[in-house]
Amino acid sequence: MGTTQVSASEEQVENPTPDIHPDRVVFRLPDPVMSMAEVNLIQEIRRPRLGPPFEFDGSDWVLTVPRPNADRIEYMLHLRHRDGGEETIPDPNNPVVAPGPFGYKSVIEWSGYAPPDWVAADAPSGDLVDTSIRSRTLRSDLRTIVWASPGASVDDSLPLLVAHDGPEYAEFSGLIKCLEVAHHEGRIPSMRAALVAPVERNETLSASAAYARALAYEILPGIEKLANVPHGRSMRIGMGASLGGLSMLHLHRHSPAAFGALFLQSGSFFRQRYDKQESSFPRFRRISRFMGRVLTAEDWPHPIPVMMTCGTIEENLWNNRATRDALARQGYEVALHENRDGHNWIGWRDTFDPYLIDLIARMWA
C-alpha cells in the first residue's frame, strides 16, 4: 500500500545509500570485483529515462543528481555486466522501496516528506465483494471489486465511487483504507466504491468509443445491479489515474449523465504540442484528436465538478494544466493540485486526502 522499509534480514545493507542532501542525492553502488561494465539510473525526472550513467571510481559506481522539483522520487538501476548480461533492479543498498504492478522500485524521500496520517490509522473494515461484469461490446468479463462502508446493509441505497484500475488503486495506493479511515472519522458519509479492472488497458482506456459505450450502457448498469445506487448522476463519482483519468473524462464527454463529478489523477491528456515524446504510443492520435476537441471547445452544456492532481515532475503536468484551463473556460468547477512527486501510485495516494475526501464530502454530505 505504500513505501516499505526492507528489513536487514531480507536485504543485507551494510552501508545504506543513497546519501541524501537538501539539494542533491549521491548514489553509490559498490563493485569491488569490477563485475559491471556500466551502471545507469532509470528515473522519471526527465527524458531519456535510462540515465544518467554512473562513473566508476575504482571501487564504487557513483552518481550525483541534483534534487528535482519534488520531495520524493522512485528509481531503478540498470546494470550491464562484463559477461554481457543485463538486468534492471531496485537499488540493493537502499532499504526503502515502493510496490507497483511490475515489482518494487527504490525510493528517495527528502526531509519534510511524510506519508498521509491515514496510512498509519486504524479503522473498521467494510465489506468486499469480488465479482465480474460481462461486456458484450468488449467480449470480456471485467473484474470488479465492490466495497461498502462498515455497517452498510446490502439494502442500503448509497452513492457510488467508480475507479478505473481499481484493484491496483486498492493494492498499491490503499484507496479502500483511506475511505474506511475517512468514514470512521465522520468526514464522508456511508458509500460504496466499485473498483474496475481494465481489459487491454492501452486500448480500452485510450479514448475508445467502444469502451465508453460499454462503460455507460453495460458496466455501470451492471455495477448498479450489484450496488443499490440512488438515481441521478450526482450520486456517482468517476475516478482514474493516467489513462484511467483520460478515459473517465472521455466517458463524461461521451455520456454526460454517467457521473456527477470526476477525480482525475495525472491524466494522459496527450496533445502533439505538449507530448511529442508519447507519439509512439499506439493510440496517441486518437487521444490527441479527442483532447483537441476538449481543449478548443468554447463551452460545454453539462459541466460538473472536477478535481485534478498531477506530480510536479511529470511530463503530464503541462497537458493537465491546459485541460484545467479549458474546463474552467467551459464552466466547470475545476481545480488542479500539483503534488511534489512523480507518476506513481504513492504520489496518487498522497493526494487522496484532502482532495478526494473533500470532493466526496461536498457531493454527498
Side-chain angles (χ1 to χ4, degrees):
M1 185 187 71
T3 302
T4 301
Q5 184 85 21
V6 179
S7 68
S9 61
E10 296 173 286
E11 201 69 67
Q12 296 298 324
V13 182
E14 296 181 1
N15 298 299
T17 61
D19 190 7
I20 304 171
H21 301 266
D23 61 344
R24 68 193 188 281
V25 57
V26 181
F27 299 93
R28 186 178 298 272
L29 182 66
D31 187 13
V33 297
M34 295 184 290
S35 64
M36 285 170 281
E38 187 177 27
V39 177
N40 274 278
L41 188 71
I42 298 179
Q43 40 72 33
E44 56 183 14
I45 303 169
R46 60 180 175 82
R47 297 277 180 164
R49 299 305 190 204
L50 178 63
F54 286 56
E55 293 186 0
F56 190 61
D57 69 359
S59 60
D60 300 340
W61 293 89
V62 182
L63 172 66
T64 299
V65 174
R67 178 179 179 174
N69 183 29
D71 296 330
R72 180 186 173 280
I73 60 172
E74 298 183 4
Y75 70 99
M76 300 277 280
L77 301 181
H78 182 264
L79 313 181
R80 186 166 64 84
H81 297 274
R82 294 190 183 276
D83 62 8
E86 296 187 29
E87 59 180 330
T88 298
I89 62 171
D91 188 341
N93 290 321
N94 185 351
V96 184
V97 295
F102 305 106
Y104 285 94
K105 290 185 177 181
S106 297
V107 178
I108 300 293
E109 296 174 347
W110 272 273
S111 176
Y113 170 80
D117 291 342
W118 63 262
V119 173
D122 292 323
S125 298
D127 291 330
L128 289 174
V129 176
D130 199 331
T131 184
S132 64
I133 297 173
R134 181 66 185 176
S135 169
R136 290 185 178 182
T137 302
L138 302 178
R139 299 179 181 178
S140 184
D141 295 318
L142 283 78
R143 182 190 177 201
T144 303
I145 300 172
V146 180
W147 168 86
S149 298
S153 164
V154 293
D155 297 324
D156 290 343
S157 182
L158 300 175
L160 178 70
L161 174 69
V162 179
H164 278 147
D165 298 303
E168 288 82 0
Y169 257 132
E171 181 176 0
F172 304 124
S173 297
L175 174 60
I176 290 174
K177 180 175 182 181
C178 180
L179 296 175
E180 288 171 343
V181 172
H183 178 265
H184 182 63
E185 294 174 348
R187 299 173 57 201
I188 59 174
S190 293
M191 57 170 285
R192 290 188 176 92
L195 312 181
V196 182
V199 174
E200 297 182 10
R201 185 176 192 274
N202 287 352
E203 170 61 28
T204 57
L205 299 187
S206 55
S208 163
Y211 181 71
R213 289 193 302 270
L215 192 56
Y217 303 121
E218 296 176 323
I219 300 167
L220 282 177
I223 292 171
E224 292 185 340
K225 287 182 179 179
L226 299 171
N228 188 4
V229 183
H231 292 295
R233 71 176 187 177
S234 65
M235 292 294 101
R236 297 184 297 271
I237 296 174
M239 172 181 179
S242 194
L243 285 174
L246 165 77
S247 184
M248 279 297 179
L249 180 62
H250 180 255
L251 172 65
H252 160 68
R253 302 293 277 229
H254 180 276
S255 300
F259 295 110
L262 298 176
F263 185 71
L264 309 179
Q265 299 194 275
S266 305
S268 299
F269 306 130
F270 298 156
R271 285 289 282 159
Q272 187 68 30
R273 177 179 179 183
Y274 305 108
D275 306 292
K276 292 180 181 179
Q277 74 282 350
E278 298 287 358
S279 60
S280 62
F281 181 72
R283 289 302 185 179
F284 178 84
R285 284 188 153 188
R286 185 167 73 187
I287 295 172
S288 184
R289 285 195 301 269
F290 164 67
M291 288 309 304
R293 295 192 296 271
V294 172
L295 296 179
T296 58
E298 288 303 317
D299 55 27
W300 180 254
H302 309 288
I304 59 176
V306 177
M307 182 65 222
M308 304 169 62
T309 76
C310 194
T312 51
I313 58 172
E314 289 194 54
E315 291 173 342
N316 279 350
L317 182 58
W318 302 105
N319 61 50
N320 273 248
R321 288 172 175 172
T323 302
R324 172 204 58 196
D325 294 346
L327 296 181
R329 186 182 67 249
Q330 296 161 21
Y332 287 75
E333 178 190 336
V334 59
L336 171 63
H337 170 72
E338 299 180 7
N339 183 43
R340 292 179 57 79
D341 206 320
H343 194 86
N344 58 69
W345 292 98
I346 300 303
W348 298 328
R349 176 201 73 178
D350 289 354
T351 61
F352 291 168
D353 192 1
Y355 302 103
L356 174 61
I357 299 305
D358 285 354
L359 180 63
I360 291 172
R362 190 165 75 250
M363 292 296 295
W364 300 335

mmCIF file of all heavy atoms in Angstrom, residues 165-181:
data_model
loop_
_atom_site.group_PDB
_atom_site.id
_atom_site.type_symbol
_atom_site.label_atom_id
_atom_site.label_comp_id
_atom_site.label_asym_id
_atom_site.label_seq_id
_atom_site.Cartn_x
_atom_site.Cartn_y
_atom_site.Cartn_z
ATOM 1 N N ASP A 165 -8.775 1.020 -12.935
ATOM 2 C CA ASP A 165 -7.594 0.399 -12.307
ATOM 3 C C ASP A 165 -7.840 0.223 -10.817
ATOM 4 O O ASP A 165 -6.917 0.345 -10.001
ATOM 5 C CB ASP A 165 -6.330 1.227 -12.547
ATOM 6 C CG ASP A 165 -5.978 1.354 -14.017
ATOM 7 O OD1 ASP A 165 -5.802 0.321 -14.678
ATOM 8 O OD2 ASP A 165 -5.886 2.498 -14.511
ATOM 9 N N GLY A 166 -9.087 -0.079 -10.455
ATOM 10 C CA GLY A 166 -9.473 -0.114 -9.050
ATOM 11 C C GLY A 166 -8.702 -1.104 -8.194
ATOM 12 O O GLY A 166 -8.264 -0.758 -7.089
ATOM 13 N N PRO A 167 -8.514 -2.363 -8.628
ATOM 14 C CA PRO A 167 -7.738 -3.283 -7.791
ATOM 15 C C PRO A 167 -6.320 -2.787 -7.520
ATOM 16 O O PRO A 167 -5.789 -2.960 -6.414
ATOM 17 C CB PRO A 167 -7.739 -4.577 -8.627
ATOM 18 C CG PRO A 167 -9.015 -4.505 -9.415
ATOM 19 C CD PRO A 167 -9.149 -3.050 -9.769
ATOM 20 N N GLU A 168 -5.692 -2.142 -8.523
ATOM 21 C CA GLU A 168 -4.356 -1.581 -8.304
ATOM 22 C C GLU A 168 -4.417 -0.396 -7.343
ATOM 23 O O GLU A 168 -3.526 -0.215 -6.504
ATOM 24 C CB GLU A 168 -3.749 -1.147 -9.643
ATOM 25 C CG GLU A 168 -3.329 -2.296 -10.541
ATOM 26 C CD GLU A 168 -4.496 -2.882 -11.345
ATOM 27 O OE1 GLU A 168 -5.635 -2.377 -11.197
ATOM 28 O OE2 GLU A 168 -4.263 -3.824 -12.109
ATOM 29 N N TYR A 169 -5.444 0.442 -7.467
ATOM 30 C CA TYR A 169 -5.629 1.534 -6.507
ATOM 31 C C TYR A 169 -5.703 0.994 -5.080
ATOM 32 O O TYR A 169 -5.153 1.583 -4.148
ATOM 33 C CB TYR A 169 -6.922 2.283 -6.818
ATOM 34 C CG TYR A 169 -6.764 3.610 -7.525
ATOM 35 C CD1 TYR A 169 -7.546 3.893 -8.647
ATOM 36 C CD2 TYR A 169 -5.886 4.585 -7.076
ATOM 37 C CE1 TYR A 169 -7.438 5.120 -9.299
ATOM 38 C CE2 TYR A 169 -5.779 5.807 -7.720
ATOM 39 C CZ TYR A 169 -6.549 6.074 -8.824
ATOM 40 O OH TYR A 169 -6.437 7.289 -9.464
ATOM 41 N N ALA A 170 -6.399 -0.117 -4.899
ATOM 42 C CA ALA A 170 -6.535 -0.693 -3.560
ATOM 43 C C ALA A 170 -5.215 -1.273 -3.070
ATOM 44 O O ALA A 170 -4.808 -1.062 -1.919
ATOM 45 C CB ALA A 170 -7.617 -1.765 -3.565
ATOM 46 N N GLU A 171 -4.514 -1.998 -3.960
ATOM 47 C CA GLU A 171 -3.303 -2.701 -3.542
ATOM 48 C C GLU A 171 -2.111 -1.771 -3.352
ATOM 49 O O GLU A 171 -1.356 -1.904 -2.383
ATOM 50 C CB GLU A 171 -2.949 -3.772 -4.573
ATOM 51 C CG GLU A 171 -1.718 -4.584 -4.209
ATOM 52 C CD GLU A 171 -1.418 -5.698 -5.185
ATOM 53 O OE1 GLU A 171 -2.188 -5.850 -6.172
ATOM 54 O OE2 GLU A 171 -0.413 -6.406 -4.988
ATOM 55 N N PHE A 172 -1.928 -0.825 -4.274
ATOM 56 C CA PHE A 172 -0.704 -0.026 -4.267
ATOM 57 C C PHE A 172 -0.890 1.370 -3.689
ATOM 58 O O PHE A 172 0.099 2.025 -3.345
ATOM 59 C CB PHE A 172 -0.148 0.079 -5.688
ATOM 60 C CG PHE A 172 0.111 -1.246 -6.331
ATOM 61 C CD1 PHE A 172 -0.471 -1.582 -7.543
ATOM 62 C CD2 PHE A 172 0.915 -2.184 -5.706
ATOM 63 C CE1 PHE A 172 -0.249 -2.814 -8.132
ATOM 64 C CE2 PHE A 172 1.148 -3.429 -6.280
ATOM 65 C CZ PHE A 172 0.557 -3.748 -7.500
ATOM 66 N N SER A 173 -2.130 1.855 -3.587
ATOM 67 C CA SER A 173 -2.381 3.194 -3.056
ATOM 68 C C SER A 173 -3.256 3.198 -1.807
ATOM 69 O O SER A 173 -3.463 4.255 -1.212
ATOM 70 C CB SER A 173 -3.054 4.075 -4.126
ATOM 71 O OG SER A 173 -2.219 4.250 -5.242
ATOM 72 N N GLY A 174 -3.784 2.037 -1.427
ATOM 73 C CA GLY A 174 -4.576 1.975 -0.201
ATOM 74 C C GLY A 174 -5.889 2.726 -0.275
ATOM 75 O O GLY A 174 -6.358 3.254 0.735
ATOM 76 N N LEU A 175 -6.519 2.764 -1.457
ATOM 77 C CA LEU A 175 -7.738 3.552 -1.619
ATOM 78 C C LEU A 175 -8.826 3.135 -0.644
ATOM 79 O O LEU A 175 -9.466 3.982 -0.004
ATOM 80 C CB LEU A 175 -8.245 3.428 -3.057
ATOM 81 C CG LEU A 175 -9.600 4.077 -3.352
ATOM 82 C CD1 LEU A 175 -9.571 5.573 -3.064
ATOM 83 C CD2 LEU A 175 -10.022 3.812 -4.798
ATOM 84 N N ILE A 176 -9.055 1.838 -0.496
ATOM 85 C CA ILE A 176 -10.129 1.382 0.394
ATOM 86 C C ILE A 176 -9.839 1.787 1.828
ATOM 87 O O ILE A 176 -10.736 2.264 2.544
ATOM 88 C CB ILE A 176 -10.305 -0.138 0.270
ATOM 89 C CG1 ILE A 176 -10.913 -0.479 -1.093
ATOM 90 C CG2 ILE A 176 -11.194 -0.674 1.395
ATOM 91 C CD1 ILE A 176 -10.996 -1.960 -1.369
ATOM 92 N N LYS A 177 -8.601 1.649 2.263
ATOM 93 C CA LYS A 177 -8.282 2.038 3.641
ATOM 94 C C LYS A 177 -8.511 3.524 3.853
ATOM 95 O O LYS A 177 -9.017 3.945 4.897
ATOM 96 C CB LYS A 177 -6.837 1.687 3.995
ATOM 97 C CG LYS A 177 -6.502 2.104 5.434
ATOM 98 C CD LYS A 177 -5.137 1.679 5.888
ATOM 99 C CE LYS A 177 -4.914 2.102 7.346
ATOM 100 N NZ LYS A 177 -3.569 1.730 7.846
ATOM 101 N N CYS A 178 -8.134 4.344 2.874
ATOM 102 C CA CYS A 178 -8.360 5.782 3.003
ATOM 103 C C CYS A 178 -9.843 6.078 3.191
ATOM 104 O O CYS A 178 -10.230 6.884 4.053
ATOM 105 C CB CYS A 178 -7.828 6.509 1.765
ATOM 106 S SG CYS A 178 -8.054 8.302 1.806
ATOM 107 N N LEU A 179 -10.692 5.423 2.421
ATOM 108 C CA LEU A 179 -12.137 5.627 2.549
ATOM 109 C C LEU A 179 -12.636 5.144 3.909
ATOM 110 O O LEU A 179 -13.493 5.786 4.528
ATOM 111 C CB LEU A 179 -12.864 4.893 1.424
ATOM 112 C CG LEU A 179 -12.574 5.376 -0.001
ATOM 113 C CD1 LEU A 179 -13.260 4.467 -1.013
ATOM 114 C CD2 LEU A 179 -12.985 6.832 -0.197
ATOM 115 N N GLU A 180 -12.098 4.029 4.376
ATOM 116 C CA GLU A 180 -12.527 3.495 5.677
ATOM 117 C C GLU A 180 -12.136 4.427 6.818
ATOM 118 O O GLU A 180 -12.928 4.664 7.745
ATOM 119 C CB GLU A 180 -11.940 2.100 5.881
ATOM 120 C CG GLU A 180 -12.596 1.055 4.990
ATOM 121 C CD GLU A 180 -11.907 -0.291 4.995
ATOM 122 O OE1 GLU A 180 -10.730 -0.373 5.423
ATOM 123 O OE2 GLU A 180 -12.541 -1.270 4.547
ATOM 124 N N VAL A 181 -10.927 4.971 6.760
ATOM 125 C CA VAL A 181 -10.492 5.901 7.810
ATOM 126 C C VAL A 181 -11.330 7.173 7.780
ATOM 127 O O VAL A 181 -11.792 7.659 8.816
ATOM 128 C CB VAL A 181 -8.992 6.218 7.660
ATOM 129 C CG1 VAL A 181 -8.587 7.341 8.622
ATOM 130 C CG2 VAL A 181 -8.151 4.971 7.927
#
